[in-house]
Amino acid sequence: MADVRPIARPAQLLPRANSIRCRGLVVLSVRVLGVIGVVLALLLVPLQAPARAAAPVPCSTAGTWTPGELNLYWFDVEQGDGQLIVGPTGKTLLIDLGETAWNSTGANTNATRIAAQIRAICGTGTSPVALDYVMASHHHLDHIGYSWNPQDVPGDVGNGLYQLLTPGGLGFSVGTLFDHDGGTWTDANGDGQCTVGTSASPSNEIAWHNVGTTSQTGRRWICWLYGPATQADRATINGHVVTLSNGAPWPSIDLGAGVTAPILNANGKDTLQADGVTPVSGDHSAQGTPPSENDYSIALRVGYGVWLYATAGDSDGEYNTSVNGYTYNNIEAKIGSLFGNVDTMRANHHGSDHSSSQAYLNVLKPETVFFSCGNNSFGHPSNRAMDALRSLVTDKGIGADMYIANNPCDPFQSDGVTPTNYAGVLNSNGTVSLHTTGGGAGYVITYDAGSRTYTAHGDAGGGATGDVALVRINEFLMAPNPSTDGEWVELYNPQSLPVDISGLYIDDVAAGGGAPKQIPAGTIIQPGGVWVFNFASGFLNNTGPDSVRYLKIAGTETVYDTYNYNLSTTQANKVFHRIGDGGTWCNTVSTNVTKGTSNPATCP
């Protein structure tokens, strides 16, 4: 933000107050009276309104992004993280905007530099960008920056996402800001302000929800996101924050037609600590050796056409204890099966030795990987992770292509002695970008020395396939008469690509009912087509409550679609169906059975 200086006042308008003492009275000189007249005249002149900052505008086709394709930018923020996704129609998602120093301000921040890059990408000129979505993967300085707080002197601190979005900052706006559920503000002292105290003496105004290690970075972020609505620096985000709580389904992000972007995990949900009993989720701020904040990172999978991408903040992939008094927990064991086989992966935790485990890489099998790191002394990226990627068996062959923000990041490994092996790693310095081709059939990665072109393989191990997560339960029959006709569930593929659903499951109520029924190998639903799974009667309830679920089971369940029903009497040879294929459910049973063909356009 530019310095604001007071307007210089002409010297002739500021004379010394000449006075004459006469019989104890002070008499103003004629000179002073003249000045007063001038001042009064100036007061009658309307003041010119200060120049208004340009309003934020959406991404336009005038920018450098490629319309009609999925665009991904890995920004060089040194030892930190920042990603921008621009969908085929210009919808935007910014994931993180980290800083390397808590006290950098003004023009000396990553936020200022990256804001200029985003404006160029989106073609908004000098106008700030109206971002559709922003996501904070977790509450660390190198991912979100450092927020100002009402206890601070104005302008003393404030960078990263705060500087980008707060009034008086860089002028950007946001439609929806996704945050993991670390905690919220409680007005403990009743002063109506969310204050943080100091590192040595932090305030007690944060009610922690899902946290291990705590920090002033996290407290300041929470005060900004969840402080009082009247807090002036919250004007552009108030009402725009979506907190990812464990009790609600994870949402999907709308990045335009054909793009899938489901949030797969956050808050360390469903992972236990090393004792096998204590969950990572929850408030562990008082625990003697708490989990790292990294373990609460948000995991997001993005797909367009065949191409699939995995990003999961600083998620860890092992159980270990840091010399700094916190634990690493194996979040990758859960999210690996949720991601499945992908084409491109951002290496977790900057490529640290605690992440990108061999088991995780064997599941994701990425052909291309990006390391977001800069000058550091942590041994990022690790030789173990890079060696594993060099020998990884992928759908393309042996080895994944590796890209990096800075080469070198750390010249040595964490022992400070072993040299880091950067052989074959692409890009020396600066932002790396990716855009799909052919509607997601392939993709191109551009870096400082040129570009490379790839074929997308998706989740099927080769060949064109849509996203299994988009397939929908379309119609089902639960009470055939005669019963020997069997029950069935119809699935619908709303995509423009065929989708291979082999090995997935149809099930009824969770944690009960009959055993899940696995979809046979070689089951492919054509674009806009349906497929019917036939099975013997007695699986779905004829009366009472029950569910029909379409899901993936790989250690844990990933439910892609569910319909719940409750019948007081048996409804023989009747079905539940959607309005049209993939439309809204009709919540009454219907005699209009359209097994294997298009659904009725109306409800009964």
Side-chain angles (χ1 to χ4, degrees), residues 485-489 517 531-536 595:
D485 287 352
E487 301 170 9
W488 51 265
V489 173
K517 298 188 177 298
W531 174 78
V532 178
F533 195 176
N534 297 286
F535 42 85
K595 178 182 179 181

Side-chain angles (χ1 to χ4, degrees), residues 535-557:
F535 42 85
S537 297
F539 184 65
L540 299 175
N541 288 349
N542 294 346
T543 59
D546 206 353
S547 302
V548 180
R549 302 188 302 150
Y550 161 64
L551 69 162
K552 176 180 179 178
I553 303 176
T556 58
E557 292 186 350

